[in-house]
Each structure stands twice: as structure tokens, then as C-alpha cells.
Amino acid sequence: MMGFFVTERLVLRKASVSDCGEIYKNVWSDGSLAKYMLWQPLDSLGEAEERLKKVIEFQALNDAYFVCLRESGEVIGFAGVSPIAGEDAAFGDCGICIASAFQGRGLGKELLSALAFIVFDRLGGVKFHYSCFKENLASAALCESLGFSFVGRVRKVRRWDNLEYDSNEYELLKCDWKNDFAVEYREV
């Protein structure tokens, strides 16, 4: 059985082929979003179809989801977590993104809270690691607002364009997590 997560305004669910148009329009074609992300913006629906195939394969094996508006079902982003190699019960984000048109409404906070719920309540994690480009002040403020602590800065290289960037690294321990958002897991 496949499950999904529901918050007050969002649904985190696995991608399907029918999502291609919305994820392309709302996220993957938006170069302003890709500025602080590791993925390359796309120029065509054909490219989106190829990426979506890979995303569906990735999501089948990982705790990664498309983010949809609960009211309409529209795909407005993606998010996920994955185990950190060599660390027991520690998980890191494997990408968090909300479409530009839907930012500034508190959806990011609701989404990151849902990921913390997945890490701590569903996966039994004790540490949640989050990273963002140093220049991505909104992302830094988001994780800090949920109690993540800054633990350092790491120099990295984005693969698709060889951009060198500084990554701010944050952590949230289960003992410090305050679950302010209701998250429900449902089976299909």
C-alpha cells in the first residue's frame, strides 16, 4: 500500500505521470527557483517528461513527495528526506521547493513541519539535517523559525553548472522539536 501525508493546506504524495504539466509550469520551468537549488530549470515539456520518469523511480525507493494544495490538488512543489550515511537515526532533506507563486503564505513552514513529522514520528529519526545556499535568506529563516540550529557552512559545487557555493547547514534534534502543525498519514 502507498501512503501520503496531509496537513491543514497541503498533501505530500508520490508523483504520477499526470503531474507533468503542473510540476513543469509551477516549478521546473522557473529559473528563479533553481537559483538556490541543485536542479537545472527546464525549457520544454519533453524535458519535464524525462525528469518526471526519474523522479517517479526515485520516489518509489525514497521518502520523497510532490507537494500539492489540499483544496485543489494542484502540484506546487516537492520535498523529501533521506538517511544520512554513517549516522544512526539521522536524516537530511533531499530537496524542498515551493513554487514562487505560492511562497509567502506559510506553506514552507507547514511543509518543513511535515518533513520533521516524517523524520521523527514515521522514520524514528533523532536528528534532521537541513541545508540551503548561504544567500537563500528565506530558507534559512524558515528552518530557524522551526527550531533548527546553525551548525556550520560547507563549500560545495552544484553539478549541472559547476557553480561553487556556500551551504548553510542546520540541524534539529527530536528532543528540541515542537510540532506546531497537525500532520496525518493516510493509506491509499
Side-chain angles (χ1 to χ4, degrees), residues 149 152 155 165 171 188:
S149 298
R155 190 80 169 151
Y165 68 97
E171 290 180 348
V188 177

Side-chain angles (χ1 to χ4, degrees), residues 93 129-141 143-144 148-156 165-171:
D93 77 272
H129 185 90
Y130 180 92
S131 62
C132 64
F133 278 61
K134 177 183 76 172
E135 297 82 7
N136 192 344
L137 302 179
S139 188
C143 72
E144 289 171 358
F148 283 77
S149 298
F150 179 77
V151 294
R153 186 168 287 139
V154 177
R155 190 80 169 151
K156 296 182 179 180
Y165 68 97
D166 290 323
S167 176
N168 283 351
E169 307 293 316
Y170 297 87
E171 290 180 348

Side-chain angles (χ1 to χ4, degrees), residues 19-32:
D19 294 326
C20 193
E22 285 182 348
I23 192 70
Y24 173 69
K25 175 183 67 106
N26 289 336
V27 178
W28 292 342
S29 64
D30 186 346
S32 70

Side-chain angles (χ1 to χ4, degrees), residues 38 40 155-165:
L38 300 181
Q40 183 174 5
R155 190 80 169 151
K156 296 182 179 180
V157 176
R158 185 167 58 188
R159 285 187 222 165
W160 68 269
D161 63 355
N162 293 316
L163 174 74
E164 293 184 23
Y165 68 97

